[in-house]
Amino acid sequence: MPAGSIQTVVVCVPSTSATAAQQIACAKVGAQFYVPATVQAYLLDPSRKNDIDAALGQFDYVHATGIWTLAFSMVVGLYFVSHGIGQVLGMIRRG
């Protein structure tokens, strides 16, 4: 499900000069003129705000530590299980 869509939007871009109509649409800042221009932009869908905020939220170190501990414990546990199986197979092979 997309979080937005590509649309054409009007933005104010810097320019060396501007007509009176362009100055109405885009204000002059200091000595810098701005003129309206159209660009393609990816606009986010407002209904997906909660999904985007959740993805960009604070990193939960406690949760990540729990997942890392579980994964590391599984790796160490599998190592000991496979080592034990290797010991049993070696004992059987030696007789």
Side-chain angles (χ1 to χ4, degrees):
M1 176 179 249
S5 61
I6 296 176
Q7 297 181 10
T8 302
V9 294
V10 177
V11 296
C12 294
V13 295
S15 178
T16 56
S17 65
T19 65
Q22 290 172 332
Q23 287 183 11
I24 292 172
C26 297
K28 178 180 172 185
V29 177
Q32 180 67 58
F33 290 101
Y34 290 88
V35 295
T38 58
V39 295
Q40 294 283 325
Y42 188 79
L43 299 180
L44 299 174
D45 185 3
S47 67
R48 303 295 305 257
K49 179 189 180 305
N50 291 336
D51 298 336
I52 294 166
D53 287 345
L56 299 175
Q58 291 287 331
F59 186 76
D60 188 358
Y61 289 99
V62 174
H63 185 71
T65 301
I67 291 173
W68 188 90
T69 303
L70 174 68
F72 183 73
S73 299
M74 289 179 66
V75 168
V76 171
L78 288 173
Y79 169 78
F80 284 123
V81 167
S82 62
H83 182 71
I85 291 171
Q87 292 292 329
V88 169
L89 291 176
M91 185 179 64
I92 291 171
R93 186 173 48 141
R94 286 189 296 274

